[in-house]
Amino acid sequence: MSRIYNKVALIGLGLIAGSMAHAMRRHGLAGTITGYARSAETRAAARDIGLVDQVCDSSAEAVIDADLVVLAVPVGAMGAVAREIAPHLKPGCTLTDVGSVKQAVIEAVAPHLPNSVHFIPGHPLAGTEHSGPYSGFATLFENRWWLITPQPDADAEAVTKLRALCEGMGANVDEMDAAHHDLVLAVVSHTPHLIAYTMVGVADHLRRVSQSEVIKYSASGFRDFTRIAASDPTMWRDVFLTNKEATLDILGRFTEELFMLQRAIRMEDGEQLFDYFTRTRAIRRGIIEAGQDTDAPDFGRSKVT
Ligand code: NAP
């Protein structure tokens, strides 16, 4: 794969930025990579492991002369970071972000940018429950979707280059409208996370089940909830605060379905439960056929308990 950008600046040096750095290096997609993170501790860690070519002590210094600037900070920090770097961006450069919510990021970032900058918002649908400068890895984006939400008047060449970068890191790219993105993500990611947080919270509050039993017997479905509920609190707080409408919409629908199933259990309506679970099983099959998960038992974990 050949070089796509001469200089890429990563603002934020956590899971997503770190994975981008590893993937861009592995595939030779960037000439130089600079980076900046808020805390001296993260910057020192990134320097220690040589995560990028140059770790800078200010965001302004990191973006100087960059052809691509990537905002890889929590959604709630995007606006402040954009304001900080705006006067230092090279005319004609592309600025993208990797935030999990798109409308709120656009509203927070766009007003700060000069017209000479191509702003193309994006979101890789890839992640783990880990965070920080040590958590990234080069294959994170392989065969995952990277959604970009350019405005209709976005510069076609800038969009093509950004698509090529994402594809170069192994992702499949789709374009969609930002509002649609936020609704889709509320269904496939944001509300499921909220439900996982809730289920783990319920277990935590249930004094009849001791802490040790929750841990000892968590080989069943609960374990997967705990993995999701271990995700970064800052990131997820910001996701719910900024994708409020769509999440509340999906949560309302979820609650209705839950009441319906609750009633079916109370009424001992086995047929309704069976039909419902048959339909949901088909959705799982569709995800496996689309290559978005493994059909290995227990999600391919080697040690089955
Ligand atoms: P992360 O591992 O927690 O890293 C966040 C980075 O942002 C850290 O280096 C942090 O620096 C830095 N940061 C925070 N506030 C900052 C500020 N005001 N100025 C400069 N740097 C700041 O998070 P992540 O998982 O990479 O997530 C980054 C973005 O990607 C988020 O917007 C998230 O919504 C999105 N995303 C995440 C996932 C996922 O599964 N994790 C998936 C797709 C998209 P310090 O360490 O110094 O605080």
Side-chain angles (χ1 to χ4, degrees):
M1 188 67 72
S2 54
R3 180 186 295 188
I4 294 168
Y5 295 101
N6 284 328
K7 181 173 170 184
V8 175
L10 301 171
I11 308 300
L13 290 169
L15 171 71
I16 301 296
S19 298
M20 289 184 73
H22 289 299
M24 287 189 286
R25 279 182 163 172
R26 177 176 286 188
H27 301 289
L29 303 169
T32 310
I33 307 173
T34 56
Y36 168 76
R38 172 182 54 170
S39 70
E41 195 188 346
T42 297
R43 297 198 296 273
R47 279 190 192 106
D48 221 38
I49 56 173
L51 189 60
V52 294
D53 299 310
Q54 189 195 356
V55 177
C56 302
D57 285 321
S58 74
S59 55
E61 187 192 347
V63 304
I64 285 172
D65 226 23
D67 307 292
L68 175 70
V69 175
V70 182
L71 304 185
V73 299
V75 168
M78 297 276 182
V81 171
R83 190 178 56 232
E84 231 168 76
I85 60 172
H88 311 282
L89 295 169
K90 179 164 96 168
C93 79
T94 294
L95 182 122
T96 190
D97 74 291
V98 295
S100 306
V101 177
K102 295 278 54 87
Q103 287 182 108
V105 169
I106 294 169
E107 279 163 25
V109 170
H112 300 294
L113 303 179
N115 288 335
S116 60
V117 170
H118 306 299
F119 178 33
I120 307 167
H123 177 205
L125 306 193
T128 73
E129 66 278 26
H130 300 295
S131 50
Y134 299 108
S135 60
F137 54 99
T139 55
L140 178 66
F141 309 113
E142 280 180 14
N143 203 26
R144 296 282 164 247
W145 285 103
W146 200 305
L147 302 179
I148 57 173
T149 62
Q151 299 287 6
D153 60 349
D155 183 81
E157 197 186 326
V159 172
T160 304
K161 268 181 98 164
L162 183 64
R163 287 188 73 118
L165 179 81
C166 302
E167 285 164 0
M169 291 187 287
N172 307 312
V173 182
D174 248 353
E175 288 180 36
M176 65 173 67
D177 161 77
H180 188 65
H181 166 280
D182 289 355
L183 183 62
V184 171
L185 265 292
V187 177
V188 302
S189 172
H190 304 166
T191 312
H193 268 81
L194 197 69
I195 293 163
Y197 280 122
T198 315
M199 194 55 231
V200 175
V202 167
D204 186 41
H205 285 122
L206 201 64
R207 296 292 167 214
R208 277 173 294 155
V209 181
S210 75
Q211 181 91 24
S212 62
E213 276 174 315
V214 167
I215 292 166
K216 182 174 170 189
Y217 299 123
S218 69
S220 46
F222 184 70
R223 180 175 58 184
D224 296 309
F225 279 122
T226 63
R227 187 186 62 75
I228 297 171
S231 299
D232 187 67
T234 305
M235 169 184 159
W236 286 97
R237 176 202 61 197
D238 287 2
V239 164
F240 293 119
L241 292 180
T242 56
N243 201 17
K244 183 174 152 187
E245 301 305 331
T247 309
L248 290 178
D249 176 13
I250 302 306
L251 206 55
R253 292 164 191 263
F254 173 81
T255 313
E256 286 169 18
E257 300 272 310
L258 198 62
F259 278 136
M260 187 265 288
L261 289 176
Q262 189 177 338
R263 186 178 151 78
I265 294 169
R266 193 185 311 287
M267 304 307 283
E268 297 176 8
D269 187 344
E271 198 179 328
Q272 189 179 7
L273 293 173
F274 185 86
D275 289 349
Y276 197 92
F277 301 155
T278 304
R279 270 190 287 132
T280 55
R281 189 177 224 191
I283 291 179
R284 171 77 189 155
R285 257 199 308 277
I287 290 170
I288 290 159
E289 277 159 24
Q292 293 301 303
D293 207 350
T294 170
D295 68 347
D298 200 28
F299 306 102
R301 288 184 179 103
S302 52
K303 185 167 162 283
V304 180
T305 47

